[in-house]
Amino acid sequence: MANFYVVATPIGNLEDITLRAIRILGEVDLILAEDTRVTRKLLDHYNIKTRTQSYHSQSKLSKIDQIIKMIEEGKNIALVSDAGTPTISDPGMLLISKIKEHFKDEVSIVPIPGASAVITALSASGVPSSEFLFLGFLPHKKGRETLFREITESARTVVFYESPHRIIKTLTSLNEHIPNRNVVVARELTKIYEELVSGTPEELLAYFEINTDKVRGEFVVIVEAK
Ligand code: SAM
């Protein structure tokens, strides 16, 4: 029986990968990667020679059929994304559901846990995180206002991903809706310029206004509950 592995990879620091993930990536017949060049850097670092093929959000349904055929031939396959845990604001959900639908219990979908930016940010935020609401990326237009209202009313910590192009816009919206709430911005986690900055939305806006060089990289935003 073939196995299909869903393997978490580092979110920056290449050391943040489990021994099991390294072993599995070395043992499988094929690694499906969002961007094979990004994954190749990780594989080279660990001297893993396994063949890679791309699987990303724009992949066609015919690609899924092709993957199903390879599993039928008995190939063990691993799915990775560019960084962190596949399917968490990353591709893979449709592929996994199609594999489950096609093979029922004949193929094991095996999660290989590891880094994810949402959990990494929460773990060092100092914000209650026994319960939280994760929103992925906020919509750019439609539904954005509704989500800000949801964040405003949430009885749980709210976490979401943000890009450097929108972080100021988002902090400005938070300042309009929840000017007194504690917010944590986790930037470039596990990388050289890692930082977790907290304060009211206005304080954070002031911080990024002074430190314009820090409006770059990757961001996780955490908003304390109401
Ligand atoms: N699947 C990934 C995970 O498990 O974290 C998330 C992929 S999502 C396409 C990419 C977003 O995750 C980035 O835009 C950023 O918001 C967040 N992210 C990823 N790596 C990060 C890091 N090192 N520091 C802060 N945020 C990060």
Side-chain angles (χ1 to χ4, degrees):
M1 192 170 86
N3 285 327
F4 184 88
Y5 298 96
V6 183
V7 182
T9 57
I11 56 167
N13 189 321
L14 291 185
E15 289 181 7
D16 294 329
I17 185 165
T18 68
L19 297 173
R20 188 173 173 221
I22 294 170
R23 177 175 61 77
I24 296 291
L25 291 176
E27 283 176 2
V28 290
D29 301 296
L30 176 70
I31 297 168
L32 295 172
E34 230 187 321
D35 182 334
T36 53
R37 288 161 303 180
V38 172
T39 299
R40 185 46 66 193
K41 280 192 196 137
L42 174 73
L43 299 180
D44 285 348
H45 186 80
Y46 288 101
N47 200 22
I48 294 168
K49 306 286 183 208
T50 309
R51 193 162 63 89
T52 59
Q53 238 183 55
S54 73
Y55 180 80
H56 46 72
S57 55
Q58 307 301 319
S59 290
K60 303 215 166 74
L61 279 176
S62 58
K63 181 84 192 189
I64 295 183
D65 293 338
Q66 226 183 317
I67 294 164
I68 285 179
K69 197 150 170 281
M70 286 191 278
I71 299 173
E72 271 170 347
E73 288 164 2
K75 298 239 179 347
N76 288 311
I77 297 178
L79 172 72
V80 300
S81 49
D82 284 351
T85 302
T87 80
I88 308 300
S89 297
D90 262 340
M93 186 281 293
L94 182 65
L95 173 61
I96 292 169
S97 72
K98 292 283 181 198
I99 293 171
K100 275 168 130 35
E101 191 182 300
H102 187 91
F103 293 101
K104 306 283 187 289
D105 295 334
E106 283 168 40
V107 169
S108 300
I109 312 276
V110 186
I112 309 293
S116 187
V118 50
I119 302 298
T120 308
L122 274 173
S123 72
S125 67
V127 169
S129 50
S130 297
E131 290 180 35
F132 63 90
L133 175 65
F134 175 56
L135 299 177
F137 287 100
L138 302 183
H140 291 184
K141 290 202 179 90
K142 198 162 173 276
R144 194 172 160 90
E145 269 309 300
T146 314
L147 266 188
F148 275 106
R149 279 198 292 277
E150 204 174 311
I151 294 168
T152 304
E153 291 306 319
S154 179
R156 296 184 171 87
T157 295
V158 179
V159 192
F160 55 90
Y161 288 159
E162 196 47 276
S163 77
H165 315 292
R166 310 190 73 82
I167 187 74
I168 299 298
K169 183 173 179 219
T170 293
L171 287 172
T172 305
S173 299
L174 289 175
N175 193 32
E176 283 159 18
H177 288 84
I178 43 167
N180 300 318
R181 201 82 63 80
N182 184 39
V183 174
V184 179
V185 172
R187 187 175 84 87
E188 292 290 85
L189 291 163
T190 79
K191 304 187 205 177
I192 298 170
Y193 297 109
E194 172 182 86
E195 61 176 349
L196 284 102
V197 201
S198 43
T200 62
E202 192 177 16
E203 286 166 344
L204 291 169
L205 280 168
Y207 176 80
F208 285 111
E209 211 162 282
I210 297 166
N211 301 285
T212 47
D213 57 317
K214 295 187 174 185
V215 188
R216 62 170 68 139
E218 301 193 279
F219 294 84
V220 181
V221 180
I222 300 173
V223 181
E224 268 201 32
K226 194 174 172 183

